Amino acid sequence: MKKTYKIEVDCANCANLMEDAALKTAGVQSATVNFMTQKMIVEFDEGQEPKDVMKNVLEACRKVEPDCEIFL
């Protein structure tokens, strides 16, 4: 399953850090963060609940970029 989320991130480098953090999160098959459109596209592993996985993604992203926001 693939979902798109609106994000709030301050710079392109921060977006890259968020993408790396999301990719390392359990349950995420792929993740792309686009700074220009302020969107994150996440593809989830089979059988994963997107809402639960995204809580972990947000937590991981805030470790590398404390003021980022993902609108779930």
Side-chain angles (χ1 to χ4, degrees), residues 7 34-39:
I7 62 169
N34 187 316
F35 170 68
M36 295 300 286
T37 62
Q38 295 282 298
K39 292 189 176 169

Side-chain angles (χ1 to χ4, degrees), residues 36-51:
M36 295 300 286
T37 62
Q38 295 282 298
K39 292 189 176 169
M40 173 186 275
I41 300 170
V42 180
E43 187 170 355
F44 301 95
D45 289 335
E46 188 74 30
Q48 294 294 317
E49 179 59 46
K51 195 173 186 179

Side-chain angles (χ1 to χ4, degrees), residues 20-61:
D20 290 342
L23 286 169
K24 293 176 184 172
T25 304
V28 174
Q29 187 172 0
S30 68
T32 306
V33 175
N34 187 316
F35 170 68
M36 295 300 286
T37 62
Q38 295 282 298
K39 292 189 176 169
M40 173 186 275
I41 300 170
V42 180
E43 187 170 355
F44 301 95
D45 289 335
E46 188 74 30
Q48 294 294 317
E49 179 59 46
K51 195 173 186 179
D52 296 335
V53 174
M54 286 308 294
K55 287 179 186 176
N56 295 331
V57 168
L58 179 59
E59 194 175 296
C61 287

Side-chain angles (χ1 to χ4, degrees), residues 7-21 32-40 64-65 67-68:
I7 62 169
E8 191 174 291
V9 62
D10 299 329
C11 68
N13 185 53
C14 299
N16 287 335
L17 293 173
M18 286 177 64
E19 185 173 303
D20 290 342
T32 306
V33 175
N34 187 316
F35 170 68
M36 295 300 286
T37 62
Q38 295 282 298
K39 292 189 176 169
M40 173 186 275
V64 296
E65 187 55 40
D67 64 344
C68 76

